[in-house]
Amino acid sequence: MGLRETFLPWPVLRQAIASVRAGDRSGRGAAVRSRATDRLTPRTETADRVVGSVCPYCAVGCGQLVYVKDEQVVQIEGDPASPVSRGRLCPKGAATKQLVTNPLRETKVRYRRPYGKDWEDLDLGTAMEMIADRVIATRRETFVENDDRGRRLRRTMGIAMLGGATLDNEENYLIKKLGTALGAVQIENQARI
Ligand code: SF4
């Protein structure tokens, strides 16, 4: 086997030669582009439209650009115009697309009965009724009007609320408003924990 066959297939050597030929001395441009790479087109270039949004995952609120094609989300990138994040997203924010498009995403109410071993589907109306019944019953049982010295408390320690980071601002606002109106004290969001 000659020198050419032995050493030329080495990626680093091929890259060095290509760098010289392409005038790409840092080896970060044309020299490292394969023909397959040249055939690729970013999803951001073929989108029908771009919609400004905010990352749903945490309280930082990084700006996002949502690329839409054929009414489907095809890519989500950081928004360079955001004064909060200036185009950057952390790994979680950069993976936001799967929140919308992942085939494993749950789209039905799932319920596991006490002592049950399996999950079952519930229709939304039934689930909402069950939650409302339990909230009302718990509040009724645990609401405290005054403390033992007669000072007004008007609270329940029997209900706590924990929001998830995929709740948006409006949902969090309504949950906080509802919780406070019920007399709940422990109202928290995963993004602050
Ligand atoms: S999860 Fe990451 S990208 Fe999203 S708002 Fe928080 S820091 Fe920004």
Side-chain angles (χ1 to χ4, degrees):
M1 191 182 283
L3 272 181
R4 193 179 173 83
E5 290 79 23
T6 308
F7 294 109
L8 208 55
W10 284 13
V12 66
L13 192 58
R14 269 193 293 123
Q15 195 170 312
I17 294 169
S19 300
V20 174
R21 282 188 184 149
D24 173 19
R25 292 176 62 191
S26 68
R28 293 182 299 171
V32 287
R33 288 176 71 94
S34 66
R35 277 193 288 278
T37 303
D38 283 335
R39 283 196 296 273
L40 298 175
T41 309
R43 288 187 290 269
T44 51
E45 273 183 26
T46 53
D48 298 329
R49 63 180 200 278
V50 184
V51 183
S53 187
V54 177
C55 175
Y57 281 124
C58 91
V60 174
C62 298
Q64 293 184 323
L65 295 175
V66 182
Y67 292 80
V68 182
K69 185 172 177 58
D70 300 330
E71 297 307 309
Q72 300 292 319
V73 174
V74 291
Q75 183 65 12
I76 297 180
E77 300 273 338
D79 183 356
S82 166
V84 174
S85 49
R86 293 180 291 171
R88 298 168 180 85
L89 295 173
C90 78
K92 197 162 77 166
T96 309
K97 177 170 164 278
Q98 57 79 40
L99 174 71
V100 192
T101 59
N102 194 314
L104 297 177
R105 179 183 175 186
E106 289 292 355
T107 55
K108 294 183 188 151
V109 177
R110 305 287 280 151
Y111 177 62
R112 198 178 68 180
R113 299 178 180 280
Y115 307 107
K117 286 188 292 185
D118 300 310
W119 293 93
E120 45 191 288
D121 288 346
L122 277 189
D123 68 278
L124 185 60
T126 305
M128 296 294 272
E129 290 290 334
M130 288 166 67
I131 293 168
D133 287 348
R134 288 167 198 201
V135 169
I136 291 167
T138 304
R139 185 175 185 271
R140 203 166 273 153
E141 285 165 20
T142 59
F143 195 80
V144 181
E145 196 76 41
N146 299 308
D147 68 8
D148 48 12
R149 290 163 58 189
R151 291 176 298 192
R152 175 169 282 194
L153 293 177
R154 297 182 63 74
R155 73 178 185 199
T156 168
M157 300 295 274
I159 298 173
M161 292 181 147
L162 177 63
T166 50
L167 295 168
D168 58 37
N169 285 350
E170 292 76 13
E171 288 164 329
N172 279 313
Y173 170 79
L174 291 171
I175 288 170
K176 167 70 177 141
K177 200 166 184 176
L178 173 66
T180 303
L182 288 168
V185 179
Q186 304 101 324
I187 303 171
E188 198 37 279
N189 187 283
Q190 170 264 323
R192 279 182 3 120
I193 293 174

